Amino acid sequence: MKKEMKKKLKGITISKKAYNQICYLNTKIKNHEKILLNIKKSGCAGFKYSIEFFENKKNLKTIKFNINKIQIYILKKNINFLDGIEIDFKNTNLSKNFTFNNPNVKNVCGCGESFSVK
């Protein structure tokens, strides 16, 4: 009987700017080091990203990635959509926000608010 081969995960990368912003928010808001990276149905293309402080009180099935002091969790059902993603943080004159470079994205809507995956 053959054992089923598990797919090797590419993981998550975080730019220095994004890491610093998460650490800053961590100390200012909740003193919390667990982050949930998620996708939610939204917009004309299908999904949008969600990033939030996380307590796994619901015992959700997640995969954990450790990046220095930060623990990033992804729901197991979303790993195929988010594996290999790079999180960055952009600070322009008009806005400050996290950005996501996702190799799994197939299409992005015209306004850039939502995306579809392969």
Side-chain angles (χ1 to χ4, degrees):
M1 196 184 288
K2 288 185 179 180
K3 287 186 178 179
E4 187 177 316
M5 296 290 291
K6 288 188 176 184
K7 178 183 169 188
K8 183 173 174 155
L9 298 177
K10 297 173 191 168
I12 297 172
T13 56
I14 299 179
S15 72
K16 186 172 182 168
K17 288 179 184 178
Y19 180 81
N20 289 341
Q21 183 64 18
I22 291 170
C23 290
Y24 170 77
L25 293 172
N26 181 25
T27 58
K28 291 291 181 190
I29 298 173
K30 292 201 175 200
N31 201 18
H32 199 296
E33 293 159 349
K34 296 178 183 176
I35 302 292
L36 177 66
L37 176 59
N38 201 3
I39 56 174
K40 297 180 180 188
K41 290 191 178 217
S42 177
C44 51
F47 297 100
K48 73 175 184 175
Y49 297 103
S50 165
I51 188 167
E52 59 194 65
F53 290 108
F54 179 62
E55 276 295 331
N56 196 359
K57 294 180 181 175
K58 297 177 186 176
N59 295 320
L60 299 172
K61 293 179 182 179
T62 59
I63 296 173
K64 178 174 79 168
F65 297 90
N66 291 312
I67 301 173
N68 294 332
K69 298 179 191 177
I70 308 284
Q71 297 172 16
I72 298 181
Y73 291 82
I74 294 177
L75 298 175
K76 283 187 177 184
K77 68 179 185 174
N78 293 334
I79 194 64
N80 290 332
F81 303 121
L82 297 172
D83 189 30
I85 197 167
E86 178 188 29
I87 304 169
D88 196 6
F89 183 76
K90 302 286 184 192
N91 184 357
T92 66
N93 290 337
L94 299 175
S95 67
K96 296 178 183 182
N97 58 341
F98 288 99
T99 61
F100 305 90
N101 181 11
N102 187 343
N104 304 304
V105 168
K106 180 178 166 185
N107 292 315
V108 178
C109 71
C111 65
E113 288 295 317
S114 64
F115 64 94
S116 63
V117 292
K118 298 176 186 173

